[in-house]
Amino acid sequence: MNTPIGVIFLIAGLIIGPAYYTYVRFFTGEIVATQTVSFQQKSGKLLFDPIQLQLAPEMNDVGLIIRIDASHGPLILSSNPPKNKYHAIVSDGTNVLVDIHFSSISPAVDSTPSVSFQEALPLFKVNQTGTYQLKIAVEGETEMQILKADVQVRANTKQPNMTIIFTGIAFLAAGILAILSA
């Protein structure tokens, strides 16, 4: 009897928690620009060119989504998948609005996998209309070859409601407990 209820709680928890969070962070607001991110190899290091963004206060909260397509050779050990580490900074020339480190880790085990990643940077507000800059840097060695990258600018993006996310987590926990107690 507890197993069907547990499955229902798990499904509800997935929808209320992770699915809601993903929807809010990646799909709310309006796409106002998509800019290609240029990059080059220099002295064996991958370098991204800075991206100039035209932003205005009526766009608040601003959301940036970095999208990267990459590839790598076959995995030798699936317990140590290839990953690239990045550091992204958004500034107005004087003030840093976003400073975040993130990684892209390949889940693919094909012989020549091609994978796509998306990273939603923390939402931020702009105080005045102007040119803002996004700088992306690779930290350490690149284990995957970057094929292409772009940044999507979203205006009027919503912040996830943490009460809804915690409710989803509670449903997930209740579902797991119900299944385990069966």
Side-chain angles (χ1 to χ4, degrees), residues 4-182:
I5 291 171
V7 170
I8 291 169
F9 278 169
L10 278 174
I11 293 169
L14 288 172
I15 292 169
I16 295 170
Y20 163 77
Y21 177 83
T22 300
Y23 169 74
V24 171
R25 287 300 285 127
F26 289 94
F27 299 104
T28 62
E30 170 190 357
I31 300 170
V32 293
T34 300
Q35 290 183 236
T36 300
V37 178
S38 300
F39 55 90
Q40 54 194 318
Q41 288 280 354
K42 273 195 176 171
S43 303
K45 187 144 176 86
L46 179 67
L47 302 172
F48 289 96
D49 294 334
I51 300 105
Q52 305 300 318
L53 306 167
Q54 298 301 318
L55 304 176
E58 55 270 9
M59 298 169 73
N60 289 333
D61 287 347
V62 177
L64 300 179
I65 299 174
I66 298 172
R67 302 181 306 180
I68 298 172
D69 289 342
S71 68
H72 60 82
L75 291 181
I76 296 169
L77 295 171
S78 61
S79 63
N80 189 20
K83 67 179 170 244
N84 289 350
K85 295 180 182 179
Y86 305 94
H87 183 201
I89 297 174
V90 178
S91 70
D92 62 6
T94 11
N95 302 310
V96 172
L97 304 173
V98 174
D99 186 343
I100 185 169
H101 299 266
F102 63 95
S103 298
S104 54
I105 302 171
S106 176
V109 292
D110 300 339
S111 60
T112 54
S114 179
V115 289
S116 295
F117 303 98
Q118 292 190 60
E119 181 68 27
L121 301 186
L123 301 180
F124 61 95
K125 295 184 184 300
V126 297
N127 295 324
Q128 60 187 5
T129 300
T131 302
Y132 292 74
Q133 189 174 71
L134 168 63
K135 291 182 182 176
I136 305 169
V138 175
E139 297 183 320
E141 296 297 317
T142 54
E143 297 178 11
M144 291 182 283
Q145 177 186 1
I146 306 296
L147 303 173
K148 69 178 185 172
D150 65 30
V151 61
Q152 186 180 80
V153 181
R154 298 186 81 87
N156 306 308
T157 305
K158 303 296 179 210
Q159 197 69 259
N161 182 324
M162 294 311 289
T163 302
I164 294 173
I165 292 170
F166 288 133
T167 301
I169 293 169
F171 271 94
L172 285 170
I176 290 168
L177 287 173
I179 291 171
L180 292 176
S181 68

